Amino acid sequence: VGVVGVVECNFLEPTHNKQDFDSQLYRTCLENIGNKLTDYWKEQQKLARERQGNTSNDEELLDQELEESARVPDQLWAQCDKPNCLKWRKLPVGTVGENLPDQWYCHLNPDKGFADCSVPQEKDDPDDENVKGYEKTYKKQQAQEERRRAQEEKEKKRQEELAVLRKALEIEKKEKELAKKQAELAARERQLHGERKLRDSVLENELHIRRRLEQSCEEEERRAGMQ
């Protein structure tokens, strides 16, 4: 893909010791550059997929397609072969390098503003204010996907908590109903116990009265027999 970017590493201190060069700051710089390069590559994968209408998620296939599309340079330059010139000229987009002659001169430049050897060479890079960075749609989409998954996980967790809460309330309700039934059963048992006790007391009193009546009858019979 050519030059992706230039990093100004003026924060790294110069050293003459090869071992000291591998510092934590240096490793952090390399790691950040690697992350940026990965983001750029994935963004180019997404753009290549959109251009070719390919919806495949095969990383190896996407890398191969992107490498094939990246063989065409973003910008084609040609050098004037005049010994007293040797300036580089930026050619219009779409120019095929294989169609250029073996000997190329400034007057062959389709851009008439730079078609003369007397014209200074165009700057390699435009001013920083004119540089428009590529839109990181892949990274934005990835961030949106991560936020969506996080929201779904949060909602799923909330639903699980609500389900647990409903289950706990249901169990608490059943426990209260069971305690109420147990209390009613205990009260009923106390009532039956009281009724049995009262009935036993009545039967005991009746038995006592019957015995006294029998004793009275026996005494009266004895007295009548003696007379």
Side-chain angles (χ1 to χ4, degrees):
V1 294
V3 178
V4 176
V6 178
V7 181
E8 184 177 3
C9 299
N10 54 2
F11 54 88
L12 293 177
E13 297 181 358
T15 178
H16 300 287
N17 190 329
K18 294 182 179 179
Q19 294 179 351
D20 290 343
F21 186 70
D22 188 18
S23 62
Q24 179 63 35
L25 192 61
Y26 175 72
R27 290 194 296 270
T28 302
C29 178
L30 289 184
E31 182 179 356
N32 291 333
I33 293 174
N35 293 335
K36 293 295 183 182
L37 183 59
T38 300
D39 292 341
Y40 176 82
W41 184 253
K42 289 185 177 296
E43 185 66 31
Q44 295 305 312
Q45 280 185 327
K46 181 176 181 295
L47 293 176
R49 185 165 56 242
E50 291 176 353
R51 285 194 300 267
Q52 299 177 12
N54 185 1
T55 58
S56 173
N57 291 324
D58 189 344
E59 294 291 338
E60 185 177 353
L61 180 59
L62 291 175
D63 290 346
Q64 182 180 357
E65 293 176 353
L66 185 57
E67 288 175 359
E68 291 177 355
S69 62
R71 290 173 183 171
V72 179
D74 297 335
Q75 188 66 55
L76 187 64
W77 293 71
Q79 187 180 27
C80 180
D81 287 317
K82 282 188 178 181
N84 60 347
C85 180
L86 300 178
K87 296 184 180 68
W88 286 91
R89 302 300 185 186
K90 185 188 296 184
L91 301 180
V93 177
T95 303
V96 181
E98 288 77 4
N99 296 338
L100 298 178
D102 294 336
Q103 297 291 324
W104 191 90
Y105 304 98
C106 290
H107 69 271
L108 299 176
N109 191 355
D111 186 355
K112 299 306 179 183
F114 295 90
D116 192 278
C117 293
S118 60
V119 179
Q121 180 174 306
E122 188 177 359
K123 293 183 179 180
D124 292 345
D125 296 319
D127 296 333
D128 292 340
E129 59 270 15
N130 296 328
V131 176
K132 182 179 179 181
Y134 68 93
E135 187 178 2
K136 300 179 181 180
T137 56
Y138 170 81
K139 200 167 185 178
K140 291 180 180 178
Q141 183 179 359
Q142 191 178 34
Q144 291 175 356
E145 184 67 19
E146 290 177 356
R147 286 195 296 269
R148 184 186 63 81
R149 285 197 297 266
Q151 187 66 25
E152 289 179 353
E153 288 293 332
K154 184 178 180 181
E155 180 64 20
K156 182 180 178 181
K157 185 177 180 180
R158 190 179 72 87
Q159 292 295 334
E160 291 176 351
E161 291 176 351
L162 289 176
V164 171
L165 179 60
R166 285 194 293 267
K167 189 67 174 179
L169 292 175
E170 184 179 354
I171 293 175
E172 184 180 359
K173 181 180 178 181
K174 290 183 178 180
E175 288 178 348
K176 288 182 178 180
E177 292 177 354
L178 180 60
K180 182 179 179 181
K181 290 181 179 179
Q182 289 177 346
E184 292 176 352
L185 182 59
R188 179 61 178 167
E189 289 179 352
R190 287 193 297 270
Q191 181 181 359
L192 292 175
H193 179 70
E195 291 176 356
R196 285 195 300 268
K197 189 174 181 181
L198 179 61
R199 186 174 62 252
D200 293 342
S201 178
V202 170
L203 291 176
E204 186 178 354
N205 289 336
E206 289 179 353
L207 182 60
H208 181 67
I209 293 172
R210 187 179 297 124
R211 287 177 180 175
R212 290 186 63 184
L213 289 174
E214 289 177 355
Q215 290 176 358
S216 298
C217 292
E218 289 178 355
E219 288 180 359
E220 289 179 359
E221 286 179 357
R222 282 198 303 272
R223 290 174 184 174
M226 291 177 64
Q227 295 176 358

